[in-house]
Amino acid sequence: MKKLILFSLLAVISLFANAQEVDVTTLEWVKKGQDCANVFNNADASLVFGTDAGGSNLSYVDISAYGKINLYGTAGQTARLFINREEIGDKGIVFVEINSNGVGVFDCKKMLELQPTIQYIHLNGIKASAWNTKLNLSSITVSGDPITFPEISWVCPAGETDITEFAWIKKEQDCANNLSTTTDAVVFGTDAGGKNISFVDITYCSSLKVYGPKGQKARFFINREEYSENFQFFAEIGDDGVGVLNLADVLSAQEGAKYIHLNGVKAASPGEQLKIDGITVIEKPWVCPEGEVDYTTLEGYKDVNNIGKSIKGGDVVYGNQSSGDDYVDVTAYDIVKFYGTPGALLRVFANRAGGEGVTVGKNEQRVSIGNDGVGTLDIKDVMEATEKEYCYLSGIKICAAWQGASIDQKIVIKGISVVSAPAPYTIATTAGKIGTVVLDYPASIEGATLYEVASFDASTGLELSEVEGDMVGGTPYIYVASADEVVCTKKGASVAHGDFDCTKGNVGNGLVGCYSEVSPTKSSEWFGYIRSSYIINNNQLRQIGQGNITIPANRCFFVPSKYDSESSASGAKTITIPTEEATAIKNVNASLEGGKIYDMNGREVKSMKKGGIYLVGGMKISVK
C-alpha cells in the first residue's frame, strides 16, 4: 500500500514538472546500429532507455535544443547516462542521483568540461549505475534553454586539402567565398553558364567533401564550360557533418572528360539555404601515363624538386636556373609534358652552357599549361632554336606576373614526363599517284607534294593548289607522290577530334578527313554526304554513290556541298594539278594503268624529270 502511494505521488510530481518539459520518448530516435530500448517504467530493467553500446556508430536522441535532462524515479537510485559517446567514448558516461523528491537533473553545461569543442548533445542511453543494479524511472524529460556551444574555427582534416588552397583560374567570373554565411546563393566559385567559366582544377583528386550542419544538400557545378548537361552533382551532409562526392562518378557521367574543373557550389535547389564550414578534396598521386617516362627518373640535375608542391611565381619546380653545366639529357625523346595547374606559365632552361645569359625563345622556352592541365615542349624546336644537336634541360621555374603569367600563386606541377618520338606514318604508293591524307598532329612530309582544293567545277572537276611547309594537325590534304613511299613524321602534339570531321580550318575546302575507318553503313550522321561524295581512284574523282565503299583511316573524301552549298555533281571528274605554267590535265584516259609513269613514246620510266611530259594514271603531266 505504501509503495502504491509512493508511485502515485511520483507520478503527480512528474506530471507537474513535465508541464514545462518535453518527454524524451517523443523526440526522434536517430538509429545507427542499435534500436532504442524504452523500458524505464520496469523496475527489473538495467538498461531503461536507448542503448549502452560502444563504438562510433551509435544511435541517439538529439537534445541539443535543451539545457537539462530530468529523471523522475525512485529516490536514492543512481542513473548512468551515455552522452556523445559516439565521439568521446567512455568520457561521455555521467551519473545522476535521484534525490529525496524523486528527481535527478543533469545540466548539459557539464559536457563542456568533458568536451570543450562540443557542438551538439546526443543522448545515447540511460541505465543503472552498476551491473546487477536496478533502475526504475517513471519518466525522462528534457527542458531549459540550450547551452551556448563554443565557436570554433573549422580545421581541414589531416590527409585532405582545403579547396581554397587551389588557384582560382579566373575567366569571366570572380570566386565567391561565402562558406561561413548561410545563403541560398553561391557559397564558393560561380554558377555562371556559358563557355568561358572560371574554375578550380581538381583533376588529380579522388573525392570532394563538404563540411557543415547535417541534412543540408550541396550542389556542385563541374566542367560546366564544356558540358551543357550532366554538369550538376549533389552531396548530402550526413550525421557526421560531412557530405562526399566521388569524382569517379563525375567521369562516369561525363563520358570522355579529360579533366575535372569545379566551377561552383551552392544549395541543392533555389530558395534552400546552405552554410558550409569547409570544402576539401582528397588528392591522389600523379601517375605517369602509359607510354611516357617520368622525368624525375632520368639521370641528371635534381638540385631542387618541388613537383607536387604548391609554389608561386619565381619558384623552382625542378633542377635550377643558375647553371647550364648541370642538366638532364632529353635528346633521345620527342616531347616534354608538364602536368599541373591550368594557366600556369613555365620557364624551361635548355642548352645553357657555362651559365650564359638567357634569351626567351632560345635557351629559355616558355610553356603554358592548358585547360586540360597539360603543357608540352617540342624537343626538336629547342634544338633548332639553340642550333644544337642535343637538348639538355637545366631547370624549370614558374613565371611571375611581371613575366607574363596570368596566375602566379598556388601553382602545383603534379608531374613531368618525356615521350619518345613515334614511328613515322607511312603510305605505300607509286610515284605520280594521287592520294589523300589527314593526321591529328602536325607532321613533315617526304616523298610527296601537298595540295589543297583551289576550285571545283561540276562540269570539269577539281583544281588544286600547292601547299608550302608541313602538314597541320587535323587538316585533310591531297598529295601527289614522288616516290614509292610517303613518310609523315610527327612534329608536335595531337589535336582533339572526333572519329572523323570536316575540320574548321577547311570549311569550304570540301575535304573531309577520317581518323577511323568510315563507310555509309557505319555513320548515319554522314550517310547523305558520303553517298553524294567523291573519292580519289586511279587519279580521278569518282563518286561513291550506292557502292559499298569503305574509306580507310587517315584518308579523305570530297564533299561538293561542303565546298559550295550550291555544288552538286555526278560521274567521274578530272583533277588538275598546277605546274609552273598551270598546265591543265584534261581528257582522262582511265584505261591506262594507274600509278605507272610513261613518257610520250609509251615507255615506262621510274621518275619524272624537269622539262618532260609524262602520262600518269591516264593524265598528261608537264613538269617545268
Side-chain angles (χ1 to χ4, degrees):
M1 183 68 177
K2 291 182 179 179
K3 186 175 183 181
L4 178 61
I5 294 173
L6 176 61
F7 270 88
S8 298
L9 180 61
L10 289 173
V12 171
I13 295 172
S14 174
L15 288 172
F16 179 77
N18 288 352
Q20 303 297 322
E21 301 171 12
V22 176
D23 187 339
V24 77
T25 63
T26 65
L27 301 179
E28 181 182 0
W29 178 253
V30 181
K31 183 180 176 182
K32 295 292 188 176
Q34 311 82 26
D35 289 327
C36 173
N38 190 352
V39 291
F40 58 83
N41 60 352
N42 185 346
D44 294 326
S46 176
L47 177 66
V48 299
F49 179 78
T51 177
D52 61 351
S56 59
N57 195 34
L58 302 183
S59 303
Y60 61 86
V61 172
D62 188 353
I63 57 172
S64 303
Y66 306 94
K68 294 180 180 180
I69 302 173
N70 309 296
L71 307 178
Y72 296 89
T74 303
Q77 291 187 340
T78 300
R80 185 171 16 160
L81 279 61
F82 301 93
I83 301 176
N84 290 0
R85 195 181 186 191
E86 68 269 35
E87 183 174 345
I88 60 175
D90 288 348
K91 289 183 179 180
I93 300 176
V94 297
F95 296 88
V96 176
E97 183 177 354
I98 309 298
N99 63 25
S100 59
N101 294 323
V103 182
V105 179
F106 177 73
D107 188 342
C108 293
K109 289 181 181 179
K110 294 181 180 180
M111 291 303 299
L112 289 172
E113 301 173 8
L114 302 172
Q115 193 178 359
T117 60
I118 187 173
Q119 295 295 301
Y120 55 82
I121 303 291
H122 288 174
L123 176 60
N124 306 112
I126 301 173
K127 68 182 303 184
S129 61
W131 297 110
N132 299 320
T133 302
K134 304 303 180 182
L135 177 65
N136 179 238
L137 299 179
S138 60
S139 66
I140 307 170
T141 69
V142 287
S143 63
D145 295 329
I147 67 173
T148 301
F149 297 115
E151 292 188 6
I152 58 173
S153 299
W154 176 81
V155 177
C156 182
E160 301 178 19
T161 304
D162 189 335
I163 198 70
T164 60
E165 293 183 15
F166 286 78
W168 176 249
I169 313 302
K170 184 179 177 182
K171 299 295 183 178
E172 293 183 346
Q173 308 83 22
D174 289 328
C175 174
N177 192 344
N178 301 312
L179 298 187
S180 60
T181 304
T182 302
T183 179
D184 60 356
V186 177
V187 298
F188 180 80
T190 177
D191 62 350
K195 293 292 185 181
N196 200 29
I197 306 175
S198 304
F199 62 87
V200 168
D201 181 48
I202 56 174
T203 302
Y204 298 102
C205 301
S206 59
S207 60
L208 185 61
K209 304 176 76 172
V210 289
Y211 290 84
K214 71 173 183 176
Q216 294 189 110
K217 195 172 185 180
R219 175 171 34 154
F220 304 97
F221 299 95
I222 296 179
N223 290 349
R224 193 176 187 184
E225 67 270 36
E226 181 176 351
Y227 291 87
S228 58
E229 55 185 25
N230 294 333
F231 61 83
Q232 297 186 73
F233 301 87
F234 301 87
E236 184 170 356
I237 298 176
D239 295 326
D240 57 356
V242 186
V244 181
L245 174 64
N246 188 335
L247 295 180
D249 294 338
V250 174
L251 296 176
S252 177
Q254 297 180 347
E255 186 176 356
K258 296 181 179 179
Y259 49 77
I260 302 178
H261 291 170
L262 175 63
N263 307 113
V265 184
K266 67 184 304 186
S269 300
E272 289 188 11
Q273 301 291 305
L274 183 64
K275 180 182 183 298
I276 298 298
D277 296 324
I279 305 175
T280 71
V281 290
I282 296 180
E283 296 186 77
K284 56 186 179 182
W286 176 79
V287 177
C288 187
E290 185 177 355
E292 302 177 15
V293 178
D294 188 337
Y295 181 79
T296 63
T297 64
L298 302 180
E299 292 294 329
Y301 197 41
K302 302 177 183 178
D303 183 41
V304 177
N305 185 351
N306 282 322
I307 293 176
K309 300 177 182 178
S310 180
I311 53 180
K312 63 183 185 301
D315 288 344
V316 176
V317 178
Y318 194 85
N320 212 322
Q321 172 193 358
S322 59
S323 172
D325 295 328
D326 300 300
Y327 54 81
V328 175
D329 185 356
V330 295
T331 308
Y333 298 92
D334 181 47
I335 299 288
V336 184
K337 300 178 73 173
F338 303 88
Y339 296 85
T341 303
L345 187 62
L346 306 182
R347 305 174 68 192
V348 183
F349 303 100
N351 292 347
R352 188 182 175 214
E356 64 183 0
V358 295
T359 302
V360 178
K362 292 186 177 181
N363 57 2
E364 179 188 334
Q365 296 287 321
R366 298 287 173 89
V367 177
S368 179
I369 307 295
N371 268 0
D372 59 353
V374 183
T376 61
L377 176 66
D378 192 315
I379 291 173
K380 292 186 178 63
D381 289 345
V382 175
M383 294 164 66
E384 291 177 4
T386 57
E387 299 180 349
K388 306 292 184 182
E389 295 182 354
Y390 52 81
C391 184
Y392 298 160
L393 301 188
S394 53
I396 301 156
K397 295 184 72 174
I398 302 293
C399 276
W402 65 269
Q403 294 168 316
S406 58
I407 59 170
D408 66 349
Q409 299 289 327
K410 300 181 180 179
I411 292 169
V412 179
I413 301 302
K414 302 293 292 189
I416 306 173
S417 72
V418 288
V419 184
S420 296
Y425 177 76
T426 60
I427 304 172
T429 184
T430 54
K433 189 171 182 179
I434 303 175
T436 61
V437 63
V438 63
L439 299 173
D440 66 353
Y441 50 81
S444 61
I445 187 166
E446 297 178 16
T449 302
L450 293 174
Y451 294 90
E452 62 184 3
V453 176
S455 65
F456 175 74
D457 186 274
S459 60
T460 58
L462 202 63
E463 185 172 345
L464 308 180
S465 61
E466 186 173 341
V467 176
E468 299 289 341
D470 295 330
M471 296 175 61
V472 176
T475 301
Y477 295 97
I478 293 174
Y479 67 82
V480 177
S482 58
D484 292 339
E485 185 178 63
V486 177
V487 180
C488 304
T489 303
K490 185 175 182 179
K491 295 192 67 178
S494 297
V495 297
H497 59 77
D499 284 341
F500 64 101
D501 192 13
C502 183
T503 59
K504 291 182 179 179
N506 282 272
V507 170
N509 187 291
L511 286 176
V512 177
C514 307
Y515 295 103
S516 60
E517 186 180 280
V518 173
S519 68
T521 58
K522 289 186 176 180
S523 176
S524 58
E525 178 187 358
W526 287 85
F527 182 86
Y529 285 126
I530 294 175
R531 289 299 192 194
S532 61
S533 300
Y534 287 79
I535 59 172
I536 295 178
N537 184 22
N538 287 333
N539 287 7
Q540 278 190 297
L541 273 183
R542 294 188 181 275
Q543 193 171 26
I544 295 174
Q546 299 302 311
N548 187 21
I549 299 296
T550 296
I551 302 167
N554 302 114
R555 299 294 189 269
C556 314
F557 59 94
F558 178 72
V559 185
S561 61
K562 282 288 182 182
Y563 171 77
D564 182 345
S565 61
E566 302 298 324
S567 292
S568 62
S570 61
K573 304 297 175 187
T574 61
I575 303 175
T576 301
I577 301 173
T579 64
E580 291 182 6
E581 295 181 358
T583 303
I585 303 166
K586 305 285 185 180
N587 304 320
V588 176
N589 183 351
S591 64
L592 291 175
E593 186 176 353
K596 293 185 178 181
I597 307 173
Y598 300 88
D599 63 18
M600 297 308 294
N601 293 319
R603 294 174 298 190
E604 184 178 352
V605 295
K606 291 184 176 181
S607 61
M608 295 181 287
K609 297 180 180 179
K610 189 174 182 180
I613 299 175
Y614 301 90
L615 290 173
V616 181
M619 297 187 297
K620 181 187 289 186
I621 296 179
S622 175
V623 182
K624 300 295 184 179

